[in-house]
């Protein structure tokens, strides 16, 4: 089985965790904002529902990025959200060595993301987009594609 190593980027530059509370933005914008942040170089983007002062519901936006990409991340956040300010926390990250491996299934090849620690496989997961495409193209349940792809990885 051929492997393609993925560079997770941790350790090459100081990492920064950027946060902001948002209480006046339509939450339907969150996926779009997340996609733009990932395209700008974010390593991770996630939203947490929170209760803000005066009991208002809000969202806590969290972005992990390299320090060298901070200006691009700030631009996306300030242009695409309603926030007025950001918090920064310098952070250290440790990631597994990551690889993409292809497995054969009855519906074609599926990419599997594999995580190794000290050379040992400790985590693997079929890629969602490949599994979704196979399920849609073949009229089968997505969970079935995932299961077959996982089994195919284990047996190869």
């Amino acid at each position: 089985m051929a492997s393609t190593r993925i560079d997770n980027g941790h350790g090459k530059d100081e990492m920064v965790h950027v946060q902001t509370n948002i209480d006046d933005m339509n939450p339907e914008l969150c996926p779009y904002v997340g996609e733009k942040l990932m395209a700008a170089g974010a390593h991770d983007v996630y939203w947490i529902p929170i209760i803000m002062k005066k009991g208002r519901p809000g969202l806590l936006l969290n972005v992990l990025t390299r320090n060298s990409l901070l200006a691009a991340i700030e631009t996306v956040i300030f242009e695409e959200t309603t926030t007025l300010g950001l918090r920064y926390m310098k952070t250290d990250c440790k990631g597994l060595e990551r690889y993409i491996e292809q497995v054969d299934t009855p519906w074609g090849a599926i990419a599997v993301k594999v995580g190794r620690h000290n050379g040992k496989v400790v985590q693997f997961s079929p890629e969602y987009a490949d599994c979704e495409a196979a399920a849609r193209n073949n009229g089968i349940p997505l969970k079935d594609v995932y299961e077959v792809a996982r089994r195919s990885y284990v047996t190869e």
Side-chain angles (χ1 to χ4, degrees), residues 19-33:
Q19 279 189 336
T20 187
N21 296 356
I22 300 173
D23 67 350
D24 57 351
M25 184 180 92
N26 181 343
E28 291 179 329
L29 302 178
C30 294
Y32 179 81
V33 171

Side-chain angles (χ1 to χ4, degrees), residues 65-81:
T65 189
R66 291 193 304 252
N67 194 48
S68 62
L69 299 173
L70 196 52
I73 297 299
E74 289 171 345
T75 297
V76 172
I77 294 172
F78 284 131
E79 289 182 356
E80 298 290 347
T81 75

Side-chain angles (χ1 to χ4, degrees), residues 4 6 34 41 50 66 87 92 98 106 114 122 127:
T4 304
I6 301 171
I50 57 174
R66 291 193 304 252
R87 289 182 295 280
D92 294 324
R98 298 175 196 178
V114 179
V122 295
E127 284 293 320

Side-chain angles (χ1 to χ4, degrees), residues 25-77:
M25 184 180 92
N26 181 343
E28 291 179 329
L29 302 178
C30 294
Y32 179 81
V33 171
E35 288 172 14
K36 288 202 72 166
L37 288 165
M38 294 301 286
H43 285 254
D44 196 13
V45 176
Y46 60 98
W47 302 82
I48 300 173
I50 57 174
I51 301 297
M52 298 179 57
K53 65 185 173 198
K54 300 180 184 175
R56 291 190 311 256
L59 294 166
L60 174 61
L61 170 60
N62 293 269
V63 181
L64 181 64
T65 189
R66 291 193 304 252
N67 194 48
S68 62
L69 299 173
L70 196 52
I73 297 299
E74 289 171 345
T75 297
V76 172
I77 294 172

Side-chain angles (χ1 to χ4, degrees), residues 97-144:
E97 291 178 39
R98 298 175 196 178
Y99 298 84
I100 294 289
E101 299 184 5
Q102 299 291 323
V103 296
D104 292 321
T105 73
W107 314 286
I110 301 284
V112 175
K113 188 180 293 180
V114 179
R116 292 187 179 125
H117 181 69
N118 295 328
K120 178 182 175 188
V121 173
V122 295
Q123 172 67 338
F124 68 93
S125 179
E127 284 293 320
Y128 175 82
D130 287 2
C131 292
E132 179 187 33
R136 287 187 190 280
N137 292 339
N138 294 281
I140 55 176
L142 179 59
K143 65 180 182 171
D144 293 351

